[in-house]
Amino acid sequence: MCRVLGYIGEPLAISKLILEPDNSLVNQSYDSDYHHMVQLAGFGLATWKKDTLTANYPFIYKGTKPPFYDRNLQSLCESHETNLLLSHIRAAYYTYEAVVHEHNCHPFIFPGFRLALAHNGWIYGFQEIRFPLLNKCRPEIIQNLEGSTDTEVIYALIMSQVDDPTKDLSVDEIIDAINKTVKIILDVQTEYNCEGISVIKLFLADSNDLLVANLGIGYNRQLNVPGDWQKLTNEELQELKSDSEKDALYLLKSPVWSLKGKNFGDYDGFKMESAADEDVRSVIISSEPLTEDFTGWSQVPFQHICFFDNNNGNPKVETKPFPFN
C-alpha cells in the first residue's frame, strides 16, 4: 500500500520527518514487504508554515521520481521548516492500467480550497463505479479533477458535502463530510453489487488541523468487520501473504500510528520527548512508526478517527470511534 505521514506542532525541519529518522517516509518507500507487488508511482507533500505570505494555504511539491533519487526534494526538506505537513508516497500495481503522473500524486487540494487529502488504500470496484460516484459530486467541484485515482474522487465527494469548501472547515464539519462520503460509496457499491474490501485510511490537513480516519468496508459491504489482525506473529503475517483474502483483511484492519510530545529530533536516535497532555507541542501520524523504538507510539484503531488542532501551539489530541450512524 501507499505510505503517508502527517505532522502538526512546533517548527521543525522537514528533513527530520521525511529523510532522517530510522524509518523515515523515504526509507519506507524502498524497504517494503510488498515491493514485489507494487511500483513507486509518485511522491507529494503539502506544508504549512506560520508567518509566511500564504500561511493559510500550503506549499505543494509533487513528482513521479522515486523520492530517494530526488535531489530537489532533499534540498527542500533540508532548507525548510514546517508547522504542519502532509506527505504521501504512492504505490501502484505493476499493470498497464496504472497511470504514473503528477496529476495522480497526493495530497489533493483544489484551487482556493484549504483542506488537503492523502489516502492509503483503495475503493473496491472503482473502475466500475467511478462515474456513478462522480455523479454524486457537485459540478463546480468535479471540474477541478485532473487525474484518474480513486483518492481524487473521494476528495471531490468530501468537498461536495460542505456548503463552502473554500472556508476554514471545523473538525466536526470534516468528520460529517467524511461520514456522508463513506455512506455514498457504500450505497453505490451496493447498487452495482461490488463485493470486496475497501481500505479507506484518510489523512486530511489544513493550516489549523490534522486528522486521520482509519476506515474501511469489508466483504459483503459491512462496516463491522470481525477478526483481530493486530496480534499476529511475524510467521503468521508471512502466511497471510499467500492468502489474498486474509492479507486484504489485515491491511483493512491495520492501525495508523501516532506520536505526541515535544522536541522531536536526533538525540541518541530519533525520539519525541514525552510530555503531559497540557504540554504537548507536536504530533506525528504515520502509516508506520518513524523510529525503531516504538515507545510512545499509539495506534489509531480500525473504524476510529484521530484529530489534532493547533490550539495556540498546544496541539489537542482526541481519538474516538467514527460516527457512521
Side-chain angles (χ1 to χ4, degrees):
M1 296 214 300
C2 304
R3 291 284 147 295
V4 193
L5 168 71
Y7 172 81
I8 185 171
E10 52 199 348
L12 184 68
I14 298 175
S15 59
K16 293 186 181 296
L17 298 164
I18 301 296
L19 303 177
E20 297 178 26
D22 309 316
N23 193 36
S24 69
L25 193 66
V26 169
N27 286 350
Q28 292 175 32
S29 70
Y30 59 77
D31 187 18
S32 167
D33 289 340
Y34 293 88
H35 245 227
H36 65 290
M37 297 172 55
V38 300
Q39 61 177 322
L40 298 182
F43 174 88
L45 66 79
T47 176
W48 292 257
K49 180 70 167 62
K50 294 178 181 177
D51 304 321
T52 62
L53 294 176
T54 57
N56 291 328
Y57 300 92
F59 169 79
I60 304 290
Y61 182 90
K62 295 184 179 183
T64 57
K65 184 185 298 185
F68 42 82
Y69 289 140
D70 191 337
R71 293 184 179 181
N72 291 330
L73 174 64
Q74 180 174 349
S75 176
L76 183 154
C77 290
E78 291 175 346
S79 59
H80 286 75
E81 287 187 329
T82 185
N83 288 110
L84 203 155
L85 177 81
L86 183 59
S87 187
H88 182 276
I89 294 176
R90 181 174 177 242
Y93 289 109
Y94 290 108
T95 168
Y96 68 89
E97 294 177 343
V99 179
V100 181
H101 193 282
E102 285 186 14
H103 290 333
N104 287 335
C105 294
H106 312 209
F108 291 97
I109 182 169
F110 291 156
F113 292 12
R114 293 185 56 167
L115 187 68
L117 168 70
H119 175 216
N120 186 14
W122 64 84
I123 301 301
Y124 185 83
F126 174 67
Q127 293 306 321
E128 180 181 359
I129 64 174
R130 172 183 175 140
F131 289 107
L133 290 176
L134 287 173
N135 285 335
K136 304 292 185 180
C137 300
R138 301 212 301 263
E140 70 272 19
I141 290 179
I142 61 173
Q143 69 181 5
N144 293 294
L145 267 71
E146 297 180 314
S148 58
T149 66
D150 54 359
T151 304
E152 194 174 19
V153 174
I154 293 172
Y155 181 65
L157 278 168
I158 291 173
M159 303 316 292
S160 294
Q161 308 312 309
V162 299
D163 293 333
D164 181 3
T166 66
K167 77 170 190 177
D168 184 12
L169 300 172
S170 70
V171 168
D172 287 341
E173 288 175 311
I174 297 170
I175 293 173
D176 183 61
I178 296 172
N179 199 27
K180 292 176 180 176
T181 295
V182 174
K183 289 178 179 178
I184 289 170
I185 293 170
L186 193 55
D187 287 345
V188 173
Q189 286 181 327
T190 300
E191 181 182 352
Y192 284 79
N193 197 30
C194 296
E195 293 189 352
I197 284 175
S198 296
V199 179
I200 312 174
K201 301 181 189 293
L202 304 176
F203 296 69
L204 302 102
D206 59 23
S207 58
N208 303 310
D209 308 293
L210 180 64
L211 180 151
V212 59
N214 185 10
L215 312 177
I217 301 169
Y219 287 113
N220 303 315
R221 299 180 294 273
Q222 78 270 40
L223 296 173
N224 184 17
V225 183
D228 186 355
W229 301 90
Q230 272 68 67
K231 298 179 180 179
L232 300 179
T233 66
N234 287 334
E235 291 76 15
E236 289 170 329
L237 287 175
Q238 292 304 316
E239 290 179 7
L240 284 182
K241 293 176 175 46
S242 62
D243 186 323
S244 59
E245 180 175 325
K246 290 183 178 179
D247 191 29
L249 277 171
Y250 171 73
L251 294 174
L252 173 70
K253 300 200 72 176
S254 61
V256 176
W257 296 84
S258 69
L259 180 68
K260 63 181 181 180
K262 57 184 178 181
N263 299 327
F264 184 68
D266 185 6
Y267 29 89
D268 191 27
F270 265 86
K271 294 180 181 178
M272 181 88 82
E273 291 183 19
S274 60
D277 287 346
E278 63 271 15
D279 295 322
V280 168
R281 292 293 176 266
S282 299
V283 178
I284 298 171
I285 55 172
S286 183
S287 44
E288 298 178 23
L290 300 188
T291 61
E292 290 184 355
D293 183 359
F294 282 23
T295 303
W297 287 90
S298 301
Q299 295 185 2
V300 181
F302 179 62
Q303 305 299 41
H304 279 64
I305 190 165
C306 189
F307 53 90
F308 327 92
D309 64 56
N310 237 345
N311 196 26
N312 296 319
N314 179 201
K316 177 184 175 183
V317 183
E318 186 172 352
T319 301
K320 64 181 182 181
F322 195 73
F324 286 129
N325 297 326

